[in-house]
Amino acid sequence: MWTRLQSLAGSLRDLGGCTRHNSVAAFTCQNPGDACFLQVVMDNGTVQVTLSKPAGLVTGIRYDGIDNLLEVLNRETNRGYWDLHWNPPGGKGIFDVISGTSFRVVVENDEQVELSFTRMWDSLLEGKYIPLNIDKRFILLRGSSGFYSYAIYKHLQEWPGFDIGETRITFKLRKDMFQYMAIADNRQRLMPLPDDLLPGRCQTLAYPEAVILVNPELPELTGEVDDKYQYSCENKDNQVHGWICFKPLVGFWQITPSDEFRTAGPLKQNLTSHVGPTTLAMFHSSHYAGKDLVLSISPGEPWKKVFGPVFIYLNSASNGEDAPFLWEDAKMQMMAEVQSWPYSFPVSEDFQKSEERGNVCGRLLVKDRNISDDYILASGAYVGLAPPGDAGSWQTECKDYQFWTRADENGYFSIKSICTGDYNLYAWVPGFLGDYRFDAIVNIISGCDMDMGDLVYEPPRDGPTLWEIGIPDRSAAEFYIPDPDPKFMNNLYANHPDRFRQYGLWDRYADMYPDTDLVYTVGLSDYRKDWFFAQVVRRKDDGTHVGTTWQIKFKLDKVDRSCSYKLRVAIASATLAELQVRVNDEKARRPLFTSGLIGRDNSIARHGIHGLYRLYNVNIPGARVVEGENTIFLAQPRCTSPFQGLMYDYIRLEGPPFSGSSNEASGSFK
């Protein structure tokens, strides 16, 4: 049956049969071998969206005279869809394009249409489908140049458990039309075609996602590297991205107006758009974190979450010189969507409207005795509400909602439109180590306006700073990032602030340090030039790898051997790595400290300058240091893969604990 919405003021009506033979509209299966899908069409006169019924797969998007913006060469199940990657506990991973089994019109009036495609679970489906009820919704508003989608995932207490590694919305656009991709003002380019990634036209590099183009359709791309992970983006910056078609001049944009339903907070990195041409709305993934960010629901654990809505925005212009306008217009539309959040129009009661939510404000101050006896304004602090947990637990939280903002220059913050529930308030402050947590539970009720007053964060501190390397900002971006091997360039990132996104930078370490490892001398070395951005393994001539040991050399003019010194090591990322710390004895059988095996971030291979943040505080007995020259050895011995290693955020050595005023210490550095 073919069901069509002729206009928003009209009604849904059956037009009968899989093919409708008349001059107004007709439907036939477009690809030989495809099943003849039942269809439903939303049409507001500007945009026409065709979905399979009852599956709820987006098979067509008509706009600006183009019959279908989606790839018509793909099967109808491979154009626009919600998907997830899941597994039963201990079982193998299963990729699932979520297909509904029932369809209903939720609302149809002069202003909007909302459609629901649901898949209900029962025990007969165990092992075949994830034990969730999934309700996918699609919304078209009067006069809107685009459409919205969201979904409600629900797990009942009596159902078996499961793990989710990823869930998202995917759109695959026409490769003959959409070849220019835009993610940010300085991350835009003409992209390779998907055919350029076929055997014979490219050479696979160290992993399947990365290739070097040897015979692309566009000759000017010959020799460039393509890797979808080069286009990853932090949640806080991932609000609009998409594609431009030049003939006719049309833009296809994925807009995410809120991060509240994304997992792991504002710094979590996710995929955006990449060769396909593909655009993604990522809600949850374990990228740049590994198993720490697998969403695990236990048997007997009820769970429900709304992902979205996100907005698929379409725009157009009349002549080729207006191409930059499409990006600027998409950014303006993104800001309008953000200002409209939370939306008032989704019908589901599971999506809380503005009047059902609450607000929190306050001011965050920092107390760091080494800097000042007075409070310090937490300028630019990241402040958020997330489910109750330990300090910093928000970065691996993936079941519920998070609400984040940035404090102003005076430390004042305001978080609006928070869903009802119990939270902890968390924060971290650029320029200071560690994580803040307000210990009391923050209970948000509908309509509340909670002023938390002045909150004080006391970052880790025992004694005065003797020396420091880097900036405590949870990133390794300030350290030395080499030029890529000329054979492995992505020209988008030539002379770009995100130079760390170039392919193969891990191998540059061996080029710079073929026989010996990095040595950093406090007072002489400059971390911007002399501290490699990642402590990777060193490649040997026979293709094997060895672990590396970096040295930090420093002098002390006076030592109190009865007191302890404190080494604070903030890790920006770790991949199957181990941090071992030795002091003044590289050959000591037992390190003074070991982290043990940590991390599955894979940030080195995936061009991410950080993964999960870790902070280690190492006590160094005064008997271990000497007056004069000292050396701290940082060893990373794990070496079965070229991608194992650490990224440091910041390292600091503190003298013995304070006694008396903030400037007094029983040890000193020269």
Side-chain angles (χ1 to χ4, degrees), residues 383-575:
V383 185
L385 292 182
D390 296 330
S393 60
W394 54 268
Q395 70 170 343
T396 55
E397 198 288 316
C398 50
K399 291 182 181 179
D400 293 300
Y401 305 97
Q402 299 192 24
F403 302 85
W404 287 86
T405 191
R406 293 202 70 177
D408 66 15
E409 65 275 11
N410 295 312
Y412 287 101
F413 64 88
S414 177
I415 307 174
K416 298 182 178 180
S417 299
I418 307 159
C419 290
T420 55
D422 290 340
Y423 301 89
N424 277 134
L425 185 141
Y426 302 93
W428 68 275
V429 188
F432 295 91
L433 277 172
D435 280 280
Y436 171 77
R437 184 191 72 161
F438 182 71
D439 290 337
I441 294 296
V442 179
N443 177 246
I444 300 298
I445 61 175
S446 295
C448 73
D449 282 296
M450 187 181 302
D451 188 342
M452 302 189 68
D454 287 347
L455 308 175
V456 179
Y457 172 49
E458 296 189 38
R461 170 72 68 179
D462 284 359
T465 298
L466 300 183
W467 51 258
E468 58 188 350
I469 300 172
I471 302 168
D473 60 0
R474 302 180 180 237
S475 165
E478 69 268 27
F479 297 124
Y480 178 71
I481 299 170
D483 291 329
D485 186 316
K487 299 193 300 291
F488 301 129
M489 284 287 294
N490 181 326
N491 287 329
L492 173 62
Y493 296 112
N495 302 312
H496 193 280
D498 291 357
R499 55 190 292 123
F500 57 84
R501 298 189 188 278
Q502 293 281 15
Y503 173 86
L505 298 184
W506 55 87
D507 273 341
R508 302 301 278 168
Y509 180 79
D511 296 338
M512 296 176 61
Y513 301 94
D515 302 309
T516 60
D517 285 324
L518 181 151
V519 177
Y520 186 94
T521 302
V522 174
L524 296 177
S525 300
D526 181 345
Y527 64 78
R528 295 167 296 184
K529 301 176 182 178
D530 303 314
W531 189 273
F532 200 78
F533 78 101
Q535 185 171 358
V536 294
V537 298
R538 191 186 318 111
R539 183 190 69 253
K540 297 170 64 176
D541 291 341
D542 62 2
T544 62
H545 299 86
V546 294
T548 53
T549 299
W550 291 7
Q551 299 180 37
I552 304 173
K553 294 186 176 295
F554 61 98
K555 292 181 179 179
L556 294 175
D557 65 355
K558 182 173 64 174
V559 172
D560 186 340
R561 299 178 68 83
S562 66
C563 294
S564 292
Y565 292 70
K566 185 78 75 174
L567 180 70
R568 303 196 189 272
V569 183
I571 301 294
S573 181
T575 301

Side-chain angles (χ1 to χ4, degrees), residues 85-87 163-167 284-287 293-295:
H85 190 273
W86 74 285
N87 59 273
D163 295 336
I164 295 180
E166 181 176 277
T167 190
H284 168 76
S285 81
S286 57
H287 293 146
L293 261 177
V294 172
L295 193 163

Side-chain angles (χ1 to χ4, degrees), residues 58-78:
V58 184
T59 62
I61 301 173
R62 180 183 177 90
Y63 173 75
D64 200 42
I66 303 172
D67 284 341
N68 200 345
L69 304 182
L70 303 183
E71 182 52 84
V72 295
L73 299 179
N74 287 1
R75 297 173 71 91
E76 293 192 332
T77 54
N78 188 29

Side-chain angles (χ1 to χ4, degrees), residues 221-237:
L221 299 181
T222 301
E224 284 204 51
V225 168
D226 179 75
D227 181 350
K228 66 181 181 180
Y229 293 107
Q230 291 182 318
Y231 306 110
S232 296
C233 190
E234 292 178 346
N235 282 344
K236 65 182 176 63
D237 302 318

Side-chain angles (χ1 to χ4, degrees), residues 252-294:
F252 184 102
W253 309 103
Q254 191 274 305
I255 294 177
T256 304
S258 172
D259 288 335
E260 68 182 48
F261 44 79
R262 285 171 166 163
T263 56
L267 302 186
K268 172 67 172 69
Q269 296 173 92
N270 275 311
L271 295 172
T272 57
S273 289
H274 58 79
V275 166
T278 298
T279 187
L280 304 170
M282 298 293 300
F283 302 116
H284 168 76
S285 81
S286 57
H287 293 146
Y288 303 97
K291 64 181 182 181
D292 289 326
L293 261 177
V294 172

Side-chain angles (χ1 to χ4, degrees), residues 12 14 22 51 68 75 88 278 345 476 484 512 603 614:
L12 283 166
D14 293 337
N22 61 44
L51 300 107
N68 200 345
R75 297 173 71 91
T278 298
F345 50 81
M512 296 176 61
S603 299
R614 297 169 172 86

